[in-house]
Amino acid sequence: AARDPKDLRSPICCILGHVDTGKTKILDNIRRTNVQDGEAGGITQQIGATYIPASAVESRTEELRKGRQFDLKLPGLLVIDTPGHESFSNLRSRGSGLCDIAILVVDLMHGLEQQTIESINLLKMRKTPFIIAMNKVDRLYKWNSVANSPIQDAMARQEEYVRKEFEDRLNQVMLQLNEQGLNVALYWKNRDPRSFINIVPTSAITGEGIPDLLQLVVKLTQSLMVDRLMFVNSLESTVLEVKQIEGLGTTIDVVLVNGMLREGDTIVVCGLGGPIVTTIRALLTPQPLREIRVKGQYVHHKELRAAMGVKIAAHNLESAVAGTQLYVAGPDDDVEDLKDAVMEDMQDIFSSVDKTGEGVCVQASTLGSLEALLEFLRSDDVKIPVSSINIGPINKKDIMRANAMIERGHKKFGVILAFDVPVTREAGALAEQMGVRIFTADIIYHLFDQFTAYLKQVKE
Ligand code: GDP
Ligand code: MG
């Protein structure tokens, strides 16, 4: 396919960080201000993502540019808020990140927290470039707020002692980041963005620094990632979630990273029991934010172009596995090859577990989160052995597998570590009856804490 540096797709930008640092609020701030402005071609809520068109970035950065033109080369930004790390772990292909750039949100008042460090490790592992939003500057004592202003203007307005507190706190956090092996710099002092990670101070509540953040994401992506962002008409797409929707049956939410999808396309998807080949019945996106009174929850499309968050309705999607690639079978494609390709990631992960050994059972909602959890359990300072894995809700047969550990005389491994998955009622009852312990959590290290506490208890 022809690639043209003038035809770029929207970069995919993930927001990561510890809980309560303000990830969702930053997105809210970007959306709300724009909706209030009555901006044409406004921001749209997408499947698991928010689309910010170039025009919205342009208007939001006007004050920052002080009359200078913004040479925007991108159609927009596709921003993905990540509840936990799940979506981020899912946005991957063959071990590398699908996410083009990330925003790591840190609370200026709290510094680095557990999930900040987990996020940093994920970003390093996937080699994803990122920007740090040092959020909640408005909480500095006696902060003088002017809503939505560029951050340097906001700083210039503060009393000396406010700036001093800011610098003290910032220096502390910068030291913590250095300890994680990261070179960082305030973005306006950063002379070498390839070696130093940019920090943008922000407030998601009053909006200071948000223009800077938007401008920086756009500038970095369109200047340093042209090659990666050139639109190609070959499909790259990841299943983010498998969802039951009334009136549509089982649907999959996908991020279309590159290429196009059309109604009627034959798609090949990874299923728990084997590859699924099916036809796209409906290609859907949610209604734009402001048209709330329009009938129906979704807009139907004949075709869609990357990058975009899309819901697909089709038959036979019940056993689809989130966190895997989706392929379209074109006229020249061999469906058998695609079937193999689509199962490859899952098979790699399943075959990495020694089922004859002793260890806990691990279950997660998606392939991406399962992989992240396994990587964590295998890491040097954790080292919890795993004897079996599965994806999706915990059923009776999962309890039976854990029980097999007990029967083989390894009572302490008669355990299921369940990440972000429900336990069916029958399974719960059976577990109780057999003495299988189920630990559930939606933060990885909480599972670790629960299991280590349990091990201690078993020993005593
Ligand atoms: P998330 O868990 O990272 O998505 O965090 P949220 O966006 O839900 O925010 C967590 C809490 O912090 C909420 O009560 C927000 O109102 C508050 N918060 C987020 N950003 C800011 C900020 O910039 N300034 C202040 N003062 N509060 C904030
Ligand atoms: Mg949130």
Side-chain angles (χ1 to χ4, degrees):
R3 284 153 52 90
D4 175 0
K6 290 198 190 71
D7 186 16
L8 302 182
R9 65 172 170 86
S10 306
I12 295 176
C13 174
C14 286
I15 305 195
L16 284 90
H18 195 79
V19 64
D20 281 349
T21 49
K23 299 182 290 296
T24 304
K25 271 279 178 293
I26 286 180
L27 261 179
D28 278 353
N29 180 284
I30 296 170
R31 277 194 292 252
R32 177 167 26 98
T33 319
N34 217 238
V35 172
Q36 281 168 352
D37 285 354
E39 178 68 26
I43 294 166
T44 52
Q45 178 86 51
Q46 296 198 335
I47 304 292
T50 302
Y51 186 71
I52 306 171
S55 61
V57 176
E58 200 153 13
S59 74
R60 194 67 200 265
T61 53
E62 217 170 317
E63 197 181 337
L64 180 61
R65 285 180 283 118
K66 303 194 176 8
R68 282 189 304 268
Q69 288 275 327
F70 194 169
D71 182 20
L72 256 163
K73 300 188 176 82
L74 305 168
L77 294 172
L78 189 67
V79 186
I80 299 180
D81 189 5
T82 56
H85 308 310
E86 236 193 294
S87 319
F88 182 78
S89 310
N90 281 339
L91 282 171
R92 77 205 215 300
S93 77
R94 309 243 160 258
S96 77
L98 272 195
C99 196
D100 299 300
I101 190 166
I103 297 172
L104 175 67
V105 186
V106 176
D107 184 333
L108 176 65
M109 298 296 152
H110 292 170
L112 263 56
E113 298 170 270
Q114 181 67 40
Q115 284 172 283
T116 322
I117 295 171
E118 279 186 23
S119 304
I120 290 173
N121 290 336
L122 276 173
L123 290 164
K124 281 185 186 164
M125 205 160 72
R126 306 267 188 258
K127 298 189 170 56
T128 307
F130 61 101
I131 296 168
I132 297 168
M134 199 63 76
N135 195 35
K136 307 199 183 183
V137 288
D138 62 289
R139 291 192 52 200
L140 291 164
Y141 182 65
K142 297 273 184 186
W143 176 260
N144 175 4
S145 185
V146 173
N148 303 321
S149 64
I151 193 62
Q152 284 176 274
D153 297 355
M155 283 298 167
R157 257 191 324 267
Q158 307 305 319
E159 297 286 348
E160 187 57 41
Y161 61 86
V162 179
R163 280 205 296 265
K164 177 84 173 53
E165 187 194 344
F166 169 74
E167 269 159 32
D168 289 346
R169 290 187 181 276
L170 178 71
N171 285 335
Q172 262 179 13
V173 187
M174 284 172 79
L175 266 177
Q176 293 179 319
L177 288 162
N178 295 152
E179 283 163 15
Q180 295 300 314
L182 301 177
N183 290 322
V184 293
L186 278 172
Y187 89 91
W188 61 90
K189 294 183 177 168
N190 189 356
R191 305 208 183 281
D192 182 9
R194 285 177 198 266
S195 316
F196 286 81
I197 294 164
N198 287 298
I199 296 177
V200 185
T202 55
S203 166
I205 302 289
T206 46
E208 290 96 340
I210 302 291
D212 309 64
L213 189 63
L214 282 172
Q215 173 166 283
L216 197 59
V217 171
V218 169
K219 277 199 167 159
L220 288 179
T221 48
Q222 72 178 23
S223 64
L224 301 179
M225 296 182 193
V226 175
D227 202 50
R228 192 180 160 115
L229 294 177
M230 277 191 274
F231 180 84
V232 280
N233 203 1
S234 71
L235 186 76
E236 196 177 335
S237 177
T238 300
V239 180
L240 264 195
E241 261 188 281
V242 183
K243 267 195 204 144
Q244 204 68 36
I245 302 285
E246 221 185 288
L248 292 173
T250 306
T251 64
I252 50 177
D253 291 352
V254 309
V255 172
L256 176 59
V257 180
N258 232 324
M260 302 192 63
L261 284 171
R262 296 181 183 82
E263 205 183 83
D265 274 349
T266 300
I267 53 171
V268 187
V269 184
C270 170
L272 259 184
I276 302 165
V277 181
T278 183
T279 306
I280 298 181
R281 274 200 301 155
L283 208 51
L284 309 157
T285 59
Q287 295 285 356
L289 277 186
R290 273 171 299 120
E291 296 168 35
I292 19 182
R293 273 168 302 179
V294 181
K295 262 210 178 143
Q297 215 183 335
Y298 297 103
V299 187
H300 287 249
H301 302 267
K302 285 285 164 219
E303 57 176 41
L304 284 170
R305 191 178 199 264
M308 183 100 30
V310 186
K311 182 182 283 298
I312 294 176
H315 290 300
N316 303 326
L317 290 174
E318 290 72 23
S319 70
V321 177
T324 56
Q325 305 296 298
L326 172 145
Y327 296 102
V328 167
D332 305 329
D333 292 318
D334 182 349
V335 174
E336 292 308 314
D337 288 347
L338 296 179
K339 281 165 134 180
D340 289 344
V342 95
M343 297 305 290
E344 211 167 279
D345 278 351
M346 188 168 83
Q347 269 152 7
D348 284 352
I349 291 171
F350 273 72
S351 62
S352 73
V353 171
D354 174 13
K355 290 167 201 71
T356 61
E358 53 196 64
V360 298
C361 298
V362 171
Q363 195 136 346
S365 51
T366 72
L367 192 65
S369 54
L370 178 64
E371 189 180 29
L373 185 52
L374 287 175
E375 266 158 23
F376 172 78
L377 294 174
R378 280 169 188 155
S379 62
D380 281 339
D381 36 359
V382 178
K383 284 220 182 300
I384 295 177
V386 176
S387 66
S388 83
I389 56 178
N390 203 2
I391 296 169
I394 296 182
N395 290 306
K396 277 162 83 171
K397 63 175 192 313
D398 301 309
I399 307 296
M400 304 293 283
R401 271 188 294 120
N403 187 53
M405 274 295 132
I406 301 179
E407 284 181 343
R408 280 160 54 186
H410 308 299
K411 187 169 183 331
K412 66 175 179 182
F413 291 135
V415 167
I416 300 178
L417 302 185
F419 183 69
D420 190 41
V421 286
V423 182
T424 65
R425 193 171 328 151
E426 310 85 74
L430 187 63
E432 193 130 324
Q433 195 187 319
M434 293 181 144
V436 168
R437 295 289 300 266
I438 305 173
F439 298 112
T440 53
D442 47 20
I443 295 177
I444 289 180
Y445 66 89
H446 285 174
L447 282 175
F448 172 68
D449 292 348
Q450 289 181 43
F451 183 67
T452 15
Y454 161 80
L455 275 189
K456 238 171 119 186
Q457 191 193 322
V458 173
K459 270 196 191 131
E460 276 157 12

Short mmCIF file of all heavy atoms in Angstrom, two decimals, residues 319-346:
data_model
loop_
_atom_site.label_atom_id
_atom_site.label_comp_id
_atom_site.label_asym_id
_atom_site.label_seq_id
_atom_site.Cartn_x
_atom_site.Cartn_y
_atom_site.Cartn_z
N SER A 319 -17.10 -16.66 22.45
CA SER A 319 -15.85 -17.11 23.09
C SER A 319 -14.63 -16.28 22.66
O SER A 319 -13.49 -16.67 22.89
CB SER A 319 -15.61 -18.58 22.78
OG SER A 319 -15.27 -18.71 21.41
N ALA A 320 -14.88 -15.12 22.03
CA ALA A 320 -13.76 -14.28 21.58
C ALA A 320 -12.90 -13.86 22.77
O ALA A 320 -13.41 -13.66 23.88
CB ALA A 320 -14.30 -13.05 20.86
N VAL A 321 -11.61 -13.76 22.54
CA VAL A 321 -10.67 -13.44 23.61
C VAL A 321 -10.19 -11.99 23.47
O VAL A 321 -9.64 -11.61 22.44
CB VAL A 321 -9.45 -14.38 23.58
CG1 VAL A 321 -8.43 -14.01 24.64
CG2 VAL A 321 -9.90 -15.83 23.75
N ALA A 322 -10.43 -11.20 24.52
CA ALA A 322 -9.99 -9.81 24.48
C ALA A 322 -8.47 -9.75 24.56
O ALA A 322 -7.84 -10.58 25.20
CB ALA A 322 -10.61 -9.03 25.63
N GLY A 323 -7.91 -8.75 23.90
CA GLY A 323 -6.47 -8.58 23.94
C GLY A 323 -5.76 -9.28 22.80
O GLY A 323 -4.54 -9.43 22.81
N THR A 324 -6.51 -9.71 21.79
CA THR A 324 -5.90 -10.40 20.65
C THR A 324 -6.10 -9.58 19.37
O THR A 324 -6.88 -8.63 19.34
CB THR A 324 -6.51 -11.80 20.46
OG1 THR A 324 -7.92 -11.65 20.31
CG2 THR A 324 -6.23 -12.69 21.64
N GLN A 325 -5.40 -9.98 18.32
CA GLN A 325 -5.50 -9.28 17.04
C GLN A 325 -6.77 -9.71 16.30
O GLN A 325 -7.26 -10.81 16.50
CB GLN A 325 -4.30 -9.64 16.17
CG GLN A 325 -2.97 -9.37 16.82
CD GLN A 325 -2.78 -7.90 17.06
OE1 GLN A 325 -2.76 -7.13 16.12
NE2 GLN A 325 -2.68 -7.51 18.31
N LEU A 326 -7.25 -8.81 15.45
CA LEU A 326 -8.37 -9.14 14.58
C LEU A 326 -7.91 -9.00 13.14
O LEU A 326 -7.19 -8.06 12.82
CB LEU A 326 -9.54 -8.19 14.88
CG LEU A 326 -10.76 -8.22 13.96
CD1 LEU A 326 -12.01 -7.96 14.78
CD2 LEU A 326 -10.66 -7.19 12.84
N TYR A 327 -8.25 -9.96 12.30
CA TYR A 327 -7.87 -9.89 10.89
C TYR A 327 -9.11 -9.87 10.00
O TYR A 327 -10.15 -10.43 10.35
CB TYR A 327 -7.01 -11.08 10.49
CG TYR A 327 -5.68 -11.13 11.21
CD1 TYR A 327 -5.46 -11.98 12.28
CD2 TYR A 327 -4.63 -10.29 10.81
CE1 TYR A 327 -4.23 -12.01 12.94
CE2 TYR A 327 -3.41 -10.31 11.46
CZ TYR A 327 -3.21 -11.18 12.52
OH TYR A 327 -2.02 -11.20 13.17
N VAL A 328 -8.97 -9.22 8.82
CA VAL A 328 -10.02 -9.30 7.81
C VAL A 328 -9.51 -10.21 6.70
O VAL A 328 -8.37 -10.07 6.26
CB VAL A 328 -10.35 -7.91 7.25
CG1 VAL A 328 -11.20 -8.02 5.98
CG2 VAL A 328 -11.08 -7.07 8.28
N ALA A 329 -10.34 -11.15 6.29
CA ALA A 329 -9.95 -12.03 5.21
C ALA A 329 -10.31 -11.37 3.88
O ALA A 329 -11.48 -11.27 3.53
CB ALA A 329 -10.66 -13.38 5.35
N GLY A 330 -9.32 -10.90 3.19
CA GLY A 330 -9.51 -10.28 1.88
C GLY A 330 -9.56 -11.35 0.81
O GLY A 330 -9.34 -12.52 1.09
N PRO A 331 -9.85 -10.92 -0.45
CA PRO A 331 -9.97 -11.90 -1.54
C PRO A 331 -8.68 -12.70 -1.77
O PRO A 331 -8.74 -13.85 -2.20
CB PRO A 331 -10.30 -11.04 -2.77
CG PRO A 331 -10.08 -9.62 -2.36
CD PRO A 331 -10.13 -9.56 -0.88
N ASP A 332 -7.51 -12.10 -1.44
CA ASP A 332 -6.25 -12.81 -1.71
C ASP A 332 -5.73 -13.57 -0.49
O ASP A 332 -4.67 -14.18 -0.55
CB ASP A 332 -5.17 -11.79 -2.13
CG ASP A 332 -5.62 -10.97 -3.31
OD1 ASP A 332 -6.40 -11.50 -4.14
OD2 ASP A 332 -5.23 -9.79 -3.39
N ASP A 333 -6.46 -13.50 0.62
CA ASP A 333 -5.95 -14.12 1.84
C ASP A 333 -6.38 -15.58 1.96
O ASP A 333 -7.46 -15.95 1.55
CB ASP A 333 -6.44 -13.36 3.08
CG ASP A 333 -5.83 -11.99 3.19
OD1 ASP A 333 -4.62 -11.86 2.93
OD2 ASP A 333 -6.57 -11.03 3.51
N ASP A 334 -5.49 -16.36 2.56
CA ASP A 334 -5.81 -17.73 2.89
C ASP A 334 -6.36 -17.74 4.32
O ASP A 334 -5.64 -17.43 5.26
CB ASP A 334 -4.54 -18.58 2.78
CG ASP A 334 -4.84 -20.05 3.09
OD1 ASP A 334 -5.95 -20.35 3.58
OD2 ASP A 334 -3.96 -20.88 2.82
N VAL A 335 -7.63 -18.08 4.45
CA VAL A 335 -8.27 -18.02 5.75
C VAL A 335 -7.56 -18.92 6.77
O VAL A 335 -7.44 -18.58 7.94
CB VAL A 335 -9.77 -18.39 5.66
CG1 VAL A 335 -10.42 -18.46 7.03
CG2 VAL A 335 -10.51 -17.35 4.81
N GLU A 336 -7.03 -20.06 6.28
CA GLU A 336 -6.32 -20.97 7.20
C GLU A 336 -5.11 -20.29 7.83
O GLU A 336 -4.84 -20.46 9.02
CB GLU A 336 -5.90 -22.26 6.46
CG GLU A 336 -7.08 -23.14 6.03
CD GLU A 336 -8.06 -23.46 7.18
OE1 GLU A 336 -7.58 -23.82 8.28
OE2 GLU A 336 -9.28 -23.33 6.99
N ASP A 337 -4.38 -19.50 7.04
CA ASP A 337 -3.22 -18.77 7.57
C ASP A 337 -3.66 -17.79 8.64
O ASP A 337 -3.02 -17.64 9.68
CB ASP A 337 -2.51 -17.97 6.46
CG ASP A 337 -1.76 -18.89 5.51
OD1 ASP A 337 -1.60 -20.08 5.87
OD2 ASP A 337 -1.36 -18.43 4.43
N LEU A 338 -4.75 -17.09 8.37
CA LEU A 338 -5.24 -16.10 9.33
C LEU A 338 -5.70 -16.77 10.61
O LEU A 338 -5.50 -16.26 11.70
CB LEU A 338 -6.39 -15.28 8.72
CG LEU A 338 -6.01 -14.41 7.52
CD1 LEU A 338 -7.23 -13.66 6.99
CD2 LEU A 338 -4.91 -13.41 7.89
N LYS A 339 -6.31 -17.94 10.48
CA LYS A 339 -6.74 -18.69 11.66
C LYS A 339 -5.54 -19.03 12.54
O LYS A 339 -5.60 -18.92 13.76
CB LYS A 339 -7.45 -19.98 11.24
CG LYS A 339 -8.91 -19.78 10.79
CD LYS A 339 -9.34 -21.04 10.08
CE LYS A 339 -10.67 -21.59 10.47
NZ LYS A 339 -10.97 -22.82 9.70
N ASP A 340 -4.46 -19.47 11.90
CA ASP A 340 -3.24 -19.77 12.66
C ASP A 340 -2.71 -18.51 13.33
O ASP A 340 -2.37 -18.51 14.51
CB ASP A 340 -2.14 -20.33 11.74
CG ASP A 340 -2.49 -21.73 11.26
OD1 ASP A 340 -3.39 -22.35 11.87
OD2 ASP A 340 -1.88 -22.19 10.28
N ALA A 341 -2.65 -17.43 12.54
CA ALA A 341 -2.06 -16.18 13.04
C ALA A 341 -2.81 -15.67 14.26
O ALA A 341 -2.23 -15.22 15.24
CB ALA A 341 -2.05 -15.12 11.94
N VAL A 342 -4.13 -15.76 14.19
CA VAL A 342 -4.96 -15.18 15.22
C VAL A 342 -4.83 -15.95 16.55
O VAL A 342 -5.00 -15.41 17.63
CB VAL A 342 -6.42 -15.11 14.69
CG1 VAL A 342 -7.24 -16.30 15.10
CG2 VAL A 342 -7.07 -13.82 15.05
N MET A 343 -4.49 -17.23 16.46
CA MET A 343 -4.36 -18.05 17.67
C MET A 343 -2.95 -18.00 18.27
O MET A 343 -2.73 -18.46 19.39
CB MET A 343 -4.71 -19.52 17.37
CG MET A 343 -6.14 -19.75 16.93
SD MET A 343 -7.37 -19.08 18.07
CE MET A 343 -7.17 -20.21 19.45
N GLU A 344 -2.01 -17.44 17.50
CA GLU A 344 -0.60 -17.54 17.88
C GLU A 344 -0.28 -16.93 19.24
O GLU A 344 0.34 -17.58 20.08
CB GLU A 344 0.24 -16.86 16.80
CG GLU A 344 1.60 -17.45 16.63
CD GLU A 344 2.23 -16.94 15.36
OE1 GLU A 344 1.91 -17.48 14.27
OE2 GLU A 344 3.01 -15.99 15.46
N ASP A 345 -0.74 -15.70 19.46
CA ASP A 345 -0.45 -15.02 20.73
C ASP A 345 -0.94 -15.84 21.91
O ASP A 345 -0.23 -16.02 22.89
CB ASP A 345 -1.14 -13.65 20.79
CG ASP A 345 -0.34 -12.59 20.06
OD1 ASP A 345 0.81 -12.90 19.67
OD2 ASP A 345 -0.86 -11.48 19.89
N MET A 346 -2.17 -16.35 21.80
CA MET A 346 -2.74 -17.08 22.92
C MET A 346 -1.98 -18.38 23.13
O MET A 346 -1.68 -18.76 24.27
CB MET A 346 -4.22 -17.35 22.71
CG MET A 346 -4.87 -17.94 23.96
SD MET A 346 -6.65 -17.96 23.92
CE MET A 346 -6.94 -19.44 23.00
#
